[in-house]
Amino acid sequence: MELKVLGQSNSGSAAAPTESGCSKSACGSTSDQMDQLPESIREKVKNHPCYSEEAHHYYARMHVAVAPACNIQCHYCNRKYDCANESRPGVVSELLSPDQAVKKVMAVAANIPQMTVLGVAGPGDPLANPERTFETFRQLTEKAPDIKLCVSTNGLSLPEQVEELSKHNIDHVTITINCVDPEIGAKIYPWVFWQNRRIRGAKGAKILIEQQQKGLEMLIERGILVKVNSVMIPGVNDKHLVEVSKIVKSKGAFLHNVMPLIAEAEHGTFYGVMGQRGPNAKELSALQDECAGDMNMMRHCRQCRADAVGLLGEDRGAEFTLDKIEGMEIDYAAAMEKRAEVHAQIEAHRAEQAAEAAAEDANPLGDLPADLRPVLMAVATQGQGIVNQHFGHAKEFLVYEASPAGVRFIGHRKAEQYCSGDDTCGEGESTLDITIRSLEGCEAVICSKVGYSPWEKLEAAGIIPNGEYAMEPIEDAVVGVYRGMYESGALSEASGQLIA
Amino acid sequence: MALSINDACVNCWACLPLCPSDAITANLDGATHFAIDAKKCTECDGDYASPQCASICPIEGAILDAGGEALNPPGSLTGIPPELLEQAMAEIQAR
């Protein structure tokens, strides 16, 4: 079966738009993310959507849920959780055996040729299920050698598994490190299972921290790239994460991803039930900026499920359930050739953009007065670095900051989809309100199209809707809107909506 | 003397490889959760200081002793006071 390619029509080269593509190499990607990396690392991560902000506009990933067991408990996790409609780590719909997982990966990689990466991230801890995890990797190394393999772990079993990890085609490992202080750890991890005992409180947290740090050092020694994930928990580890960032950088981690705590009572987690709040967008952004002084920061993480499929920000898992895969007829060799073709098109497109960007003025807003205030703008896109999504269809918005210093990517905001139809958006006003609230701090929203009713509501909320840049590069659109605001005098007015 | 697993089990596989007596099976006879073979279970006596399945199980109330008592009673693993959890769940039900 032939599935539609990522939001485009059925054209064979849909992956690499040539007519009206992005005119910049990295559409507003943060200069602090990739530019400081040595060439050897950039080469390894350039087509990994989770590690490269620019790559995530083009390439897809998937997670397979082969690792159900866990060896620690985190206060943001509930092991009973299994839901089709939730998107957050630790949640899956169906557990797979290694054989089933390999079958699923092959089916997805044949139908989504932009796929470059397969990760095992749970729903428990991949390294607490070493047989299942490594059997999956072993088969895939053989059957789909072009797919990069990666693994995400809490780190407890990492030191004992590093040797095995280095035998597979894995050049990226993510460790979740929320603290380096056992007293803080005791507020995040109620227990760990270590050497045949359940060990509670600070004593257990201390073991976990030691293993994480030891594992990090061992991976770096072997030349395996390490990204560190941290969950920002206000009042628990928020200030502490600046220290964590310094330490992991000094040991050689190449990227730090500070993510907001997700906690709702209905998730049944400790933090959810106890009323621990997550950070707001402004607090998260401030902490990421503070850590950025010492570290390459990742700001495009979508905190996806342990069985997510597709581009970051989308999940096509429902198209690839086990029973649906059964019915697919796939020519694996042809699929791998098709992937190589599509990846080559994407790379050619990216090289073109990079060349154009190099030829152009480095900062498209450099001619404006330096004291203009920065403005946050939300952009609706479904990939390829262009403005190509209807406001009402957006599941998330990418947030960019424009200022005379240039355009930089800040992060994303999740939105409620209030419109499932094509043109009319008559219903679901309350979800529209939620979406507008999620855009707090943004002064403009740029999308391919906005309906009449949301247009009015956005304006009333102090957010200027803009549909004039459909199919244009994100950075050009952000630059254009900022210039428009400057020319109309909007930037000299005292605004109640300063940077968020 | 044997432990048992009830239907609170979420099939996470954590206990299975730890059992020194090979007493745990997945989905035995079409069961929807893991089970312990009472004839094989020794409660880890002589092998470990504490029963391994109950020491790694993340689900409160899923593993019972021979008398039917939960080895990990409500609140003991998550740290959530049981009455708070009940209250939160009741509020969500009422929405």
PDB file of all heavy atoms in Angstrom, chain A residues 112-135:
ATOM      1  N   ILE A 112       6.915   5.642   5.157  1.00  0.00           N
ATOM      2  CA  ILE A 112       7.341   7.011   5.472  1.00  0.00           C
ATOM      3  C   ILE A 112       8.835   7.080   5.143  1.00  0.00           C
ATOM      4  O   ILE A 112       9.682   6.866   6.003  1.00  0.00           O
ATOM      5  CB  ILE A 112       7.093   7.367   6.963  1.00  0.00           C
ATOM      6  CG1 ILE A 112       5.632   7.131   7.339  1.00  0.00           C
ATOM      7  CG2 ILE A 112       7.478   8.825   7.238  1.00  0.00           C
ATOM      8  CD1 ILE A 112       5.281   7.481   8.789  1.00  0.00           C
ATOM      9  N   PRO A 113       9.156   7.346   3.884  1.00  0.00           N
ATOM     10  CA  PRO A 113      10.573   7.267   3.480  1.00  0.00           C
ATOM     11  C   PRO A 113      11.453   8.334   4.123  1.00  0.00           C
ATOM     12  O   PRO A 113      12.668   8.248   4.035  1.00  0.00           O
ATOM     13  CB  PRO A 113      10.518   7.418   1.958  1.00  0.00           C
ATOM     14  CG  PRO A 113       9.214   8.062   1.667  1.00  0.00           C
ATOM     15  CD  PRO A 113       8.270   7.658   2.754  1.00  0.00           C
ATOM     16  N   GLN A 114      10.843   9.310   4.775  1.00  0.00           N
ATOM     17  CA  GLN A 114      11.643  10.315   5.483  1.00  0.00           C
ATOM     18  C   GLN A 114      12.193   9.780   6.797  1.00  0.00           C
ATOM     19  O   GLN A 114      12.900  10.480   7.516  1.00  0.00           O
ATOM     20  CB  GLN A 114      10.789  11.560   5.805  1.00  0.00           C
ATOM     21  CG  GLN A 114      10.317  12.325   4.596  1.00  0.00           C
ATOM     22  CD  GLN A 114       8.991  11.808   4.082  1.00  0.00           C
ATOM     23  OE1 GLN A 114       8.599  10.659   4.353  1.00  0.00           O
ATOM     24  NE2 GLN A 114       8.292  12.632   3.331  1.00  0.00           N
ATOM     25  N   MET A 115      11.846   8.539   7.125  1.00  0.00           N
ATOM     26  CA  MET A 115      12.281   8.002   8.400  1.00  0.00           C
ATOM     27  C   MET A 115      13.788   7.747   8.433  1.00  0.00           C
ATOM     28  O   MET A 115      14.343   7.125   7.547  1.00  0.00           O
ATOM     29  CB  MET A 115      11.536   6.700   8.689  1.00  0.00           C
ATOM     30  CG  MET A 115      11.844   6.192  10.070  1.00  0.00           C
ATOM     31  SD  MET A 115      10.874   4.741  10.441  1.00  0.00           S
ATOM     32  CE  MET A 115      12.094   3.839  11.380  1.00  0.00           C
ATOM     33  N   THR A 116      14.437   8.257   9.466  1.00  0.00           N
ATOM     34  CA  THR A 116      15.878   8.030   9.610  1.00  0.00           C
ATOM     35  C   THR A 116      16.232   7.335  10.919  1.00  0.00           C
ATOM     36  O   THR A 116      17.328   6.804  11.057  1.00  0.00           O
ATOM     37  CB  THR A 116      16.659   9.362   9.595  1.00  0.00           C
ATOM     38  OG1 THR A 116      16.065  10.256  10.546  1.00  0.00           O
ATOM     39  CG2 THR A 116      16.643  10.004   8.228  1.00  0.00           C
ATOM     40  N   VAL A 117      15.319   7.371  11.882  1.00  0.00           N
ATOM     41  CA  VAL A 117      15.698   6.988  13.236  1.00  0.00           C
ATOM     42  C   VAL A 117      14.671   6.081  13.903  1.00  0.00           C
ATOM     43  O   VAL A 117      13.468   6.315  13.810  1.00  0.00           O
ATOM     44  CB  VAL A 117      15.841   8.263  14.106  1.00  0.00           C
ATOM     45  CG1 VAL A 117      15.959   7.902  15.569  1.00  0.00           C
ATOM     46  CG2 VAL A 117      17.047   9.066  13.677  1.00  0.00           C
ATOM     47  N   LEU A 118      15.181   5.042  14.565  1.00  0.00           N
ATOM     48  CA  LEU A 118      14.334   4.170  15.367  1.00  0.00           C
ATOM     49  C   LEU A 118      14.845   4.223  16.793  1.00  0.00           C
ATOM     50  O   LEU A 118      16.028   4.007  17.045  1.00  0.00           O
ATOM     51  CB  LEU A 118      14.412   2.745  14.825  1.00  0.00           C
ATOM     52  CG  LEU A 118      13.679   1.605  15.515  1.00  0.00           C
ATOM     53  CD1 LEU A 118      14.470   0.988  16.648  1.00  0.00           C
ATOM     54  CD2 LEU A 118      12.293   1.986  16.013  1.00  0.00           C
ATOM     55  N   GLY A 119      13.952   4.519  17.717  1.00  0.00           N
ATOM     56  CA  GLY A 119      14.377   4.577  19.104  1.00  0.00           C
ATOM     57  C   GLY A 119      13.605   3.606  19.974  1.00  0.00           C
ATOM     58  O   GLY A 119      12.454   3.273  19.695  1.00  0.00           O
ATOM     59  N   VAL A 120      14.266   3.115  21.019  1.00  0.00           N
ATOM     60  CA  VAL A 120      13.550   2.366  22.058  1.00  0.00           C
ATOM     61  C   VAL A 120      13.582   3.247  23.290  1.00  0.00           C
ATOM     62  O   VAL A 120      14.654   3.652  23.750  1.00  0.00           O
ATOM     63  CB  VAL A 120      14.190   1.001  22.341  1.00  0.00           C
ATOM     64  CG1 VAL A 120      13.455   0.307  23.488  1.00  0.00           C
ATOM     65  CG2 VAL A 120      14.153   0.125  21.103  1.00  0.00           C
ATOM     66  N   ALA A 121      12.388   3.583  23.776  1.00  0.00           N
ATOM     67  CA  ALA A 121      12.299   4.527  24.885  1.00  0.00           C
ATOM     68  C   ALA A 121      11.298   4.066  25.926  1.00  0.00           C
ATOM     69  O   ALA A 121      10.791   4.849  26.711  1.00  0.00           O
ATOM     70  CB  ALA A 121      11.914   5.912  24.361  1.00  0.00           C
ATOM     71  N   GLY A 122      11.000   2.779  25.936  1.00  0.00           N
ATOM     72  CA  GLY A 122      10.051   2.347  26.953  1.00  0.00           C
ATOM     73  C   GLY A 122       9.006   1.407  26.406  1.00  0.00           C
ATOM     74  O   GLY A 122       9.263   0.739  25.411  1.00  0.00           O
ATOM     75  N   PRO A 123       7.845   1.409  27.100  1.00  0.00           N
ATOM     76  CA  PRO A 123       7.343   2.335  28.117  1.00  0.00           C
ATOM     77  C   PRO A 123       8.051   2.235  29.471  1.00  0.00           C
ATOM     78  O   PRO A 123       7.828   3.088  30.322  1.00  0.00           O
ATOM     79  CB  PRO A 123       5.862   1.948  28.243  1.00  0.00           C
ATOM     80  CG  PRO A 123       5.841   0.505  27.854  1.00  0.00           C
ATOM     81  CD  PRO A 123       6.884   0.350  26.792  1.00  0.00           C
ATOM     82  N   GLY A 124       8.882   1.234  29.675  1.00  0.00           N
ATOM     83  CA  GLY A 124       9.677   1.180  30.902  1.00  0.00           C
ATOM     84  C   GLY A 124      11.051   1.750  30.604  1.00  0.00           C
ATOM     85  O   GLY A 124      11.158   2.826  30.035  1.00  0.00           O
ATOM     86  N   ASP A 125      12.099   1.013  30.972  1.00  0.00           N
ATOM     87  CA  ASP A 125      13.448   1.458  30.634  1.00  0.00           C
ATOM     88  C   ASP A 125      14.085   0.436  29.701  1.00  0.00           C
ATOM     89  O   ASP A 125      14.149  -0.755  30.032  1.00  0.00           O
ATOM     90  CB  ASP A 125      14.313   1.601  31.893  1.00  0.00           C
ATOM     91  CG  ASP A 125      15.657   2.216  31.537  1.00  0.00           C
ATOM     92  OD1 ASP A 125      15.706   3.451  31.406  1.00  0.00           O
ATOM     93  OD2 ASP A 125      16.636   1.467  31.354  1.00  0.00           O
ATOM     94  N   PRO A 126      14.561   0.858  28.523  1.00  0.00           N
ATOM     95  CA  PRO A 126      15.111  -0.081  27.545  1.00  0.00           C
ATOM     96  C   PRO A 126      16.205  -0.972  28.119  1.00  0.00           C
ATOM     97  O   PRO A 126      16.294  -2.144  27.764  1.00  0.00           O
ATOM     98  CB  PRO A 126      15.686   0.834  26.463  1.00  0.00           C
ATOM     99  CG  PRO A 126      14.903   2.086  26.585  1.00  0.00           C
ATOM    100  CD  PRO A 126      14.568   2.243  28.029  1.00  0.00           C
ATOM    101  N   LEU A 127      17.026  -0.431  29.006  1.00  0.00           N
ATOM    102  CA  LEU A 127      18.145  -1.214  29.520  1.00  0.00           C
ATOM    103  C   LEU A 127      17.745  -2.080  30.719  1.00  0.00           C
ATOM    104  O   LEU A 127      18.534  -2.882  31.204  1.00  0.00           O
ATOM    105  CB  LEU A 127      19.324  -0.302  29.871  1.00  0.00           C
ATOM    106  CG  LEU A 127      19.823   0.541  28.696  1.00  0.00           C
ATOM    107  CD1 LEU A 127      21.040   1.353  29.106  1.00  0.00           C
ATOM    108  CD2 LEU A 127      20.137  -0.324  27.484  1.00  0.00           C
ATOM    109  N   ALA A 128      16.513  -1.944  31.179  1.00  0.00           N
ATOM    110  CA  ALA A 128      15.988  -2.886  32.168  1.00  0.00           C
ATOM    111  C   ALA A 128      15.356  -4.078  31.445  1.00  0.00           C
ATOM    112  O   ALA A 128      14.873  -5.014  32.073  1.00  0.00           O
ATOM    113  CB  ALA A 128      14.957  -2.202  33.071  1.00  0.00           C
ATOM    114  N   ASN A 129      15.323  -4.007  30.118  1.00  0.00           N
ATOM    115  CA  ASN A 129      14.820  -5.094  29.266  1.00  0.00           C
ATOM    116  C   ASN A 129      15.874  -5.406  28.211  1.00  0.00           C
ATOM    117  O   ASN A 129      15.616  -5.334  27.015  1.00  0.00           O
ATOM    118  CB  ASN A 129      13.542  -4.656  28.530  1.00  0.00           C
ATOM    119  CG  ASN A 129      12.436  -4.195  29.439  1.00  0.00           C
ATOM    120  OD1 ASN A 129      11.475  -4.907  29.671  1.00  0.00           O
ATOM    121  ND2 ASN A 129      12.535  -2.972  29.944  1.00  0.00           N
ATOM    122  N   PRO A 130      17.095  -5.713  28.627  1.00  0.00           N
ATOM    123  CA  PRO A 130      18.178  -5.779  27.648  1.00  0.00           C
ATOM    124  C   PRO A 130      17.953  -6.802  26.536  1.00  0.00           C
ATOM    125  O   PRO A 130      18.241  -6.511  25.383  1.00  0.00           O
ATOM    126  CB  PRO A 130      19.416  -6.116  28.492  1.00  0.00           C
ATOM    127  CG  PRO A 130      18.906  -6.597  29.800  1.00  0.00           C
ATOM    128  CD  PRO A 130      17.565  -5.976  29.995  1.00  0.00           C
ATOM    129  N   GLU A 131      17.391  -7.993  26.866  1.00  0.00           N
ATOM    130  CA  GLU A 131      17.214  -8.996  25.811  1.00  0.00           C
ATOM    131  C   GLU A 131      16.284  -8.480  24.725  1.00  0.00           C
ATOM    132  O   GLU A 131      16.564  -8.581  23.537  1.00  0.00           O
ATOM    133  CB  GLU A 131      16.668 -10.324  26.372  1.00  0.00           C
ATOM    134  CG  GLU A 131      17.631 -11.071  27.264  1.00  0.00           C
ATOM    135  CD  GLU A 131      17.567 -10.579  28.710  1.00  0.00           C
ATOM    136  OE1 GLU A 131      16.670  -9.741  29.016  1.00  0.00           O
ATOM    137  OE2 GLU A 131      18.423 -10.997  29.510  1.00  0.00           O
ATOM    138  N   ARG A 132      15.148  -7.921  25.152  1.00  0.00           N
ATOM    139  CA  ARG A 132      14.146  -7.453  24.179  1.00  0.00           C
ATOM    140  C   ARG A 132      14.693  -6.283  23.367  1.00  0.00           C
ATOM    141  O   ARG A 132      14.528  -6.216  22.148  1.00  0.00           O
ATOM    142  CB  ARG A 132      12.858  -7.065  24.897  1.00  0.00           C
ATOM    143  CG  ARG A 132      12.211  -8.233  25.635  1.00  0.00           C
ATOM    144  CD  ARG A 132      11.072  -7.741  26.533  1.00  0.00           C
ATOM    145  NE  ARG A 132       9.974  -7.181  25.769  1.00  0.00           N
ATOM    146  CZ  ARG A 132       8.867  -7.837  25.480  1.00  0.00           C
ATOM    147  NH1 ARG A 132       8.703  -9.081  25.899  1.00  0.00           N
ATOM    148  NH2 ARG A 132       7.910  -7.264  24.793  1.00  0.00           N
ATOM    149  N   THR A 133      15.336  -5.347  24.034  1.00  0.00           N
ATOM    150  CA  THR A 133      15.861  -4.163  23.355  1.00  0.00           C
ATOM    151  C   THR A 133      16.953  -4.544  22.358  1.00  0.00           C
ATOM    152  O   THR A 133      16.922  -4.146  21.192  1.00  0.00           O
ATOM    153  CB  THR A 133      16.420  -3.170  24.393  1.00  0.00           C
ATOM    154  OG1 THR A 133      15.350  -2.772  25.252  1.00  0.00           O
ATOM    155  CG2 THR A 133      17.021  -1.939  23.731  1.00  0.00           C
ATOM    156  N   PHE A 134      17.915  -5.349  22.817  1.00  0.00           N
ATOM    157  CA  PHE A 134      19.046  -5.663  21.935  1.00  0.00           C
ATOM    158  C   PHE A 134      18.671  -6.624  20.817  1.00  0.00           C
ATOM    159  O   PHE A 134      19.265  -6.573  19.745  1.00  0.00           O
ATOM    160  CB  PHE A 134      20.236  -6.180  22.760  1.00  0.00           C
ATOM    161  CG  PHE A 134      20.863  -5.094  23.589  1.00  0.00           C
ATOM    162  CD1 PHE A 134      21.008  -5.225  24.963  1.00  0.00           C
ATOM    163  CD2 PHE A 134      21.281  -3.905  22.988  1.00  0.00           C
ATOM    164  CE1 PHE A 134      21.573  -4.205  25.721  1.00  0.00           C
ATOM    165  CE2 PHE A 134      21.843  -2.883  23.742  1.00  0.00           C
ATOM    166  CZ  PHE A 134      21.988  -3.030  25.118  1.00  0.00           C
ATOM    167  N   GLU A 135      17.678  -7.494  21.049  1.00  0.00           N
ATOM    168  CA  GLU A 135      17.220  -8.363  19.966  1.00  0.00           C
ATOM    169  C   GLU A 135      16.606  -7.504  18.847  1.00  0.00           C
ATOM    170  O   GLU A 135      16.810  -7.755  17.661  1.00  0.00           O
ATOM    171  CB  GLU A 135      16.207  -9.393  20.493  1.00  0.00           C
ATOM    172  CG  GLU A 135      15.564 -10.271  19.437  1.00  0.00           C
ATOM    173  CD  GLU A 135      16.581 -11.090  18.616  1.00  0.00           C
ATOM    174  OE1 GLU A 135      17.727 -11.250  19.064  1.00  0.00           O
ATOM    175  OE2 GLU A 135      16.200 -11.537  17.513  1.00  0.00           O
TER     176      GLU A 135
END
